Amino acid sequence: MTSDLSSVPPRPTLTVGFDLDMTLIDSRPGIKAVYDRLSAETGVWIDSELAVTRLGPPLDDELANWFPAERVAEIGDLYRALYPDHAIAPTPAMRGAAEAVAAVRAGGGRPVVVTAKYGPNAELHLAHVGIEAEVRGWLWAEQKAQALIEYGASVYVGDHVGDVRGARKAGALSVAVTTGPCDAAELRAAGADVVLDDLTEFPAWFAAHTSAAA
């Protein structure tokens, strides 16, 4: 007796979400360059060294430390206009980033990037470092759950407690890396299911994860 394979429903594609800043790319050099240029153009002092130690939350949150509330929207537009010329070239991929995304594809999965960064600038970064993935931008912390649910992501990888909160709200497994501003203890306390030192550890973890789920 032969089985009718046409009646077997297709196995759903495993979708894995990735944060961008300090997860897939080390955006500190580029963002520092933009803040320095922004300071020069506006005449307002910005401690760019300090600003890049707290990447993750939306840009407006950081700009509010340096500009009055009524100017934040205007300055944000200027920042985004300056960004392509000053931030892309100096920004490298994080160690293991390309290999982590490749591991998802090799396992039959779909990588997507869900970030608080302005989407077009996020796409420029990915093109620069040679990483291909769909992008959804301007989503922070719990807001990221909107895109993760829409994409059907079952795993979300990030470096910030906000990423952990977004994953949990979406019902996705939270995989955290300690390459950003939050250490392992903070990430675990926020509810991360898995904590890795960096993305070089991701392919082995992902292989074990998909084998267990098979």
Side-chain angles (χ1 to χ4, degrees):
M1 179 177 178
T2 60
S3 60
D4 182 4
L5 295 180
S6 65
S7 66
V8 178
R11 186 175 177 181
T13 299
L14 174 60
T15 299
V16 177
F18 290 89
D19 175 49
L20 184 63
D21 289 358
M22 305 312 298
T23 300
L24 290 177
I25 61 170
D26 184 352
S27 51
R28 291 172 297 184
I31 289 177
K32 182 182 185 304
V34 179
Y35 278 130
D36 289 341
R37 183 68 181 180
L38 189 66
S39 180
E41 294 213 1
T42 61
V44 175
W45 181 74
I46 300 171
D47 187 343
S48 58
E49 294 279 2
L50 174 61
V52 298
T53 67
R54 49 195 185 196
L55 300 179
L59 171 65
D60 286 1
D61 290 9
E62 184 61 46
L63 293 178
N65 293 312
W66 314 106
F67 296 90
E70 64 271 16
R71 293 200 67 196
V72 166
E74 163 210 346
I75 298 299
D77 287 343
L78 177 57
Y79 175 100
R80 284 182 284 274
L82 293 170
Y83 199 97
D85 289 338
H86 299 279
I88 306 303
T91 298
M94 297 294 286
R95 280 198 332 133
E99 293 81 0
V101 173
V104 173
R105 291 192 189 282
R110 176 177 65 153
V112 299
V113 172
V114 180
T115 173
K117 190 180 292 297
Y118 179 53
N121 287 341
E123 291 171 353
L124 290 175
H125 274 302
L126 292 174
H128 177 69
V129 298
I131 292 175
E132 293 185 14
E134 296 176 65
V135 175
R136 185 68 58 82
W138 271 6
L139 296 173
W140 159 241
E142 287 85 355
Q143 296 173 342
K144 293 186 174 187
Q146 302 168 17
L148 295 174
I149 291 169
E150 182 179 328
Y151 282 127
S154 59
V155 177
Y156 185 60
V157 186
D159 66 285
H160 197 282
V161 294
D163 298 324
V164 177
R165 299 202 307 269
R168 292 182 67 83
K169 184 172 182 180
L173 191 76
S174 172
V175 177
V177 287
T178 60
T179 48
C182 302
D183 63 23
E186 289 177 274
L187 295 164
R188 289 193 182 96
D193 298 294
V194 178
V195 178
L196 307 175
D197 287 341
D198 60 28
L199 286 179
T200 63
E201 299 179 0
F202 180 85
W205 173 83
F206 186 69
H209 172 69
T210 52
S211 294

